[in-house]
């Protein structure tokens, strides 16, 4: 006799649609354009090219990204910030319709940012569960079909702590449950972030295995249908002060970590680019494809690795829009080829170094 506490996936109203959407986004040769930066974060990036953080400048930047000709050949989904979901191009087309015309599934960032966890060494938890069900229902009505919630765990002395792991695993699981109940495929993002220090690649692998194991235990306890989620983890990298490993070494530790912790039911693993350079992110992605026995699509959900060079090429000048879009599509194409194991180079943005990504606390930055 079945337990009354079980939450059979067959009872999910959107079960078949969730599985379809997850497979559609995770299909081979495609990845996700992560363009869900908050207004505050976008403002910091615009400042690097001398632009003020205004609604119009942010809208022009997003329009450049979403209207790039041919982007849909390589990008299957795009994550939007909530404000962007309501915006339109200069000629009156909604950003959502522009993406859908390119066969790009629209996703939405639903967390409200990071807050410090009391009693820890600067560790954070992600906020945003209050009112999430109502918001997800509204986003689904508007046409969004997947969502994103980012949890960040750092490596250091005593970190990640059990407190931070359990708090963030709970948040991710509850978020995923709420999303699925409202028809949205949840991107589960437990990021063991690339940070300062000379800690080894073995240390990152160990901490990542521990984090992912707790996350999937909670996902199962909350009755989340794994066929209807996508995972957005970090690649396994040493600290920023350690020597940069080869793509082959990164792939070896990353695939091993995934095989030890991620169930085969998950259709797609979309790696974040974190602090990697554009070229490093592409080469590491390609190296992952050389490992056999992986039941998931190993692909990408890149933000800075697709946007940084594009932004610098644009420089806020209308006459540079086409050149900037060409850079974006070339980067998307390079990573699409890497996902298929077919990238031969040269890379559109060669070289470059790693960066330390500052964690912004205090909400979503509206």
């Amino acid at each position: 006799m079945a337990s009354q506490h079980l939450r059979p996936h067959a009872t999910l109203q959107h079960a078949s649609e969730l599985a379809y959407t997850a497979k559609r986004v995770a299909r081979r040769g495609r990845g996700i354009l992560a363009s869900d930066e908050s207004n505050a974060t976008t403002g910091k990036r615009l400042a690097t090219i001398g632009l003020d953080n205004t609604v119009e400048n942010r809208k022009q930047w997003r329009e450049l990204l979403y209207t790039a000709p041919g982007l849909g050949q390589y990008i299957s989904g795009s994550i939007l910030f909530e404000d962007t979901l309501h915006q339109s191009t200069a000629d009156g087309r909604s950003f959502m319709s522009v993406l859908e015309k390119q066969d790009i599934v629209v996703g939405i960032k639903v967390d409200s940012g990071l807050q410090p966890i009391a009693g820890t060494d600067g560790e954070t938890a992600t906020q945003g569960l209050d009112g999430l069900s109502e918001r997800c229902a509204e986003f689904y009505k508007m046409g969004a079909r997947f969502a994103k919630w980012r949890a960040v765990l750092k490596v250091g002395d005593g970190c990640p702590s059990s407190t931070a792991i359990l708090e963030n695993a709970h948040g991710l699981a509850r978020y995923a449950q709420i999303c699925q109940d409202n028809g949205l495929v949840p991107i589960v993002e437990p990021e063991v972030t690339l940070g300062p220090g000379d800690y080894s690649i073995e240390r990152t692998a160990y901490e990542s295995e521990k984090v992912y194991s707790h996350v999937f235990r909670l996902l199962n306890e909350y009755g989340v249908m794994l066929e209807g989620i996508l995972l957005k983890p970090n690649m396994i990298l040493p600290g920023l002060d350690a020597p940069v490993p080869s793509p082959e070494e990164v792939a070896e530790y990353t695939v091993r970590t995934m095989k030890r912790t991620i169930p085969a039911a998950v259709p797609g693993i979309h790696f974040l680019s974190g602090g990697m350079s554009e070229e490093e992110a592409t080469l590491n992605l390609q190296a992952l494809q050389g490992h056999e026995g992986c039941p998931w699509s190993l692909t990408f959900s890149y933000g800075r690795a697709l946007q940084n060079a594009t932004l610098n090429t644009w420089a806020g000048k209308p006459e540079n829009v086409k050149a900037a879009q060409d850079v974006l599509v070339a980067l998307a194409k390079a990573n699409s080829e890497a996902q298929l194991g077919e990238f031969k180079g040269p890379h559109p943005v060669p070289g470059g170094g790693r960066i330390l990504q500052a964690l912004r606390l205090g909400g979503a930055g509206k």
Side-chain angles (χ1 to χ4, degrees):
M1 183 175 176
S3 168
Q4 63 179 346
H5 299 295
L6 290 179
R7 184 173 181 265
H9 301 145
T11 66
L12 271 176
Q13 179 184 353
H14 304 278
S16 59
E17 183 185 14
L18 291 167
Y20 169 78
T21 299
K23 286 183 179 179
R24 181 181 170 197
V25 175
R27 65 193 188 272
R28 287 183 56 76
R30 301 289 198 281
I32 293 172
L33 168 63
S35 60
D36 56 308
E37 299 85 1
S38 69
N39 292 341
T41 299
T42 303
K44 290 180 180 178
R45 296 188 179 178
L46 292 176
T48 65
I49 59 169
L51 289 185
D52 293 332
N53 186 12
T54 65
V55 172
E56 185 58 32
N57 285 339
R58 293 194 301 268
K59 190 165 72 168
Q60 287 182 14
W61 166 233
R62 262 55 182 269
E63 180 172 345
L64 182 156
L65 297 175
Y66 303 149
T67 59
L71 186 65
Q73 297 176 62
Y74 315 111
I75 298 295
S76 56
S78 183
I79 313 168
L80 277 60
F81 188 60
E82 185 172 347
D83 287 5
T84 315
L85 203 64
H86 303 274
Q87 292 175 339
S88 302
T89 63
D91 60 7
R93 294 172 294 154
S94 72
F95 284 160
M96 292 185 68
S97 67
V98 168
L99 290 167
E100 288 165 354
K101 190 172 182 180
Q102 292 221 56
D103 196 28
I104 297 174
V105 183
V106 175
I108 178 71
K109 169 189 168 78
V110 298
D111 70 72
S112 56
L114 306 175
Q115 294 288 351
I117 302 174
T120 67
D121 183 16
E123 295 180 288
T124 59
T126 308
Q127 308 296 299
L129 290 176
D130 289 348
L132 181 58
S133 182
E134 293 78 10
R135 293 169 57 225
C136 285
E138 183 60 28
F139 294 145
Y140 182 88
K141 287 180 182 177
M142 293 179 65
R145 287 298 177 265
F146 70 95
K148 194 202 87 165
W149 176 288
R150 180 189 182 214
V152 179
L153 297 112
K154 69 175 186 174
V155 178
D157 291 338
C159 297
S161 67
S162 59
T163 299
I165 292 173
L166 292 172
E167 176 68 20
N168 282 288
H170 160 74
L172 284 166
R174 186 73 182 103
Y175 139 81
Q177 181 190 54
I178 292 169
C179 281
Q180 289 193 339
D181 280 345
N182 289 283
L184 298 180
V185 169
I187 290 183
V188 175
E189 183 177 357
E191 177 183 350
V192 181
T193 193
L194 178 62
D198 61 356
Y199 55 85
S200 67
I201 194 169
E202 292 90 349
R203 170 79 187 279
T204 304
Y206 170 78
E207 301 295 357
S208 296
E209 287 179 25
K210 186 163 59 173
V211 169
Y212 302 161
S213 295
H214 278 83
V215 168
F216 275 90
R217 178 173 67 83
L218 267 292
L219 289 171
N220 284 322
E221 287 193 9
Y222 278 76
V224 173
M225 186 180 81
L226 299 185
E227 293 85 353
I229 74 166
L230 297 169
L231 184 70
K232 182 173 178 175
N234 49 285
M235 292 188 193
I236 305 302
L237 302 166
L240 285 167
D241 300 319
V244 177
S246 68
E248 291 74 24
E249 187 177 11
V250 171
E252 178 184 351
Y253 279 96
T254 300
V255 170
R256 188 188 76 179
T257 299
M258 299 302 120
K259 286 183 175 179
R260 287 180 173 180
T261 57
I262 311 304
V266 176
I269 300 178
H270 294 252
F271 292 96
L272 55 93
S273 54
M276 293 185 288
S277 71
E278 290 90 343
E279 186 173 26
E280 183 184 7
T282 301
L283 296 179
N284 286 347
L285 178 65
Q286 168 133 309
L288 294 173
Q289 314 308 321
H291 288 257
E292 296 182 352
C294 296
W296 338 267
S297 172
L298 299 176
T299 185
F300 63 95
S301 176
Y302 289 169
R304 196 185 69 88
L306 293 174
Q307 292 187 41
N308 196 52
T310 305
L311 180 68
N312 291 332
T313 302
W314 175 47
K317 299 177 180 178
E319 62 268 26
N320 292 343
V321 167
K322 182 182 183 304
Q325 290 180 327
D326 288 346
V327 170
L328 172 64
V329 174
L331 285 166
K333 181 175 186 286
N335 287 294
S336 168
E337 291 173 346
Q339 200 284 322
L340 295 169
E342 299 173 355
F343 176 72
K344 294 180 174 59
H347 197 274
V349 185
R354 292 179 172 182
I355 64 164
L356 173 62
Q357 299 190 107
L359 294 183
R360 186 183 177 280
L361 304 178
K366 292 187 178 181

